Amino acid sequence: KNQVEQSPQSLIILEGKNCTLQCNYTVSPFSNLRWYKQDTGRGPVSLTIMTFSENTKSNGRYTATLDADTKQSSLHITASQLSDSASYICVVSDDYKLSFGAGTTVTVRA
Amino acid sequence: GAVVSQHPSWVICKSGTSVKIECRSLDFQATTMFWYRQFPKQSLMLMATSNEGSKATYEQGVEKDKFLINHASLTLSTLTVTSAHPEDSSFYICSASLGQGPYSNQPQHFGDGTRLSIL
């Protein structure tokens, strides 16, 4: 069964600090990996999408990395802002469907 | 660009009624639309995939007679929850993609969801 596991489940950081979220997956065959940001009560918004050959991709203060050999990805948030408070979801695609992680809830405090 | 509008955003209705949720791609033609369900503090669960003009493909365990999906045009898909009961209360989210199928490298653009509460 394809699985996507995210850690930590939740974290609290101070405004201006950096943090890194982890995503481990067992999805095979691998097609692509996406990170989404979901604000409370809203739909997810795409941050990055990476294919097998891509190791890193940035979107503003968000930087995603991918190690397809170890089947691990990370999302790094630089200089966090209050608006970064949200759930971050890792989604891995095989040749047929998407597998969703349970998400990491990030709370940024002033 | 790539805006997906979902309506209504919140529905409260009595048990036994049917509820229709609309999903529209406002500035692009979506080859494929997806319907998800999300319970509190859980991730999205794909319910079905629909392509314009054809029958939806439902995930295992999703009752197609319970959750009717119509994808009549490249910009509109609807989900009808028939004879809704309290256990159907959830957050329903649609997404639209230019690609074919959920495995496409084209990103999925999500609506803001519909919170359905059945009394």
Side-chain angles (χ1 to χ4, degrees), chain A residues 27-38:
Chain A
V27 174
S28 183
F30 175 85
S31 178
N32 60 68
L33 184 147
R34 317 159 192 224
W35 282 94
Y36 285 91
K37 177 187 178 187
Q38 184 178 21

Side-chain angles (χ1 to χ4, degrees), chain A residues 6-11 21-22 35 86-89 102-106:
Chain A
Q6 293 186 241
S7 62
Q9 186 175 30
S10 63
L11 65 92
L21 316 180
Q22 298 292 339
W35 282 94
S87 178
Y88 292 83
I89 303 170
T104 293
T105 301
V106 174

Side-chain angles (χ1 to χ4, degrees), chain A residues 32 34 42 95-97 101, chain B residues 43 59 102-105 112:
Chain A
N32 60 68
R34 317 159 192 224
R42 305 291 295 273
D95 289 339
Y96 176 68
K97 66 190 301 180
Chain B
S43 192
E59 294 300 298
Y103 55 83
S104 166
N105 284 343
D112 274 340

Side-chain angles (χ1 to χ4, degrees), chain A residues 98 100, chain B residues 34-37 44-46 92-93 95 108 110:
Chain A
L98 301 180
F100 286 77
Chain B
F34 309 89
W35 287 96
Y36 295 86
R37 186 172 179 174
L44 283 75
M45 293 171 46
L46 180 65
Y92 292 87
I93 306 176
S95 72
Q108 290 188 23
F110 287 84

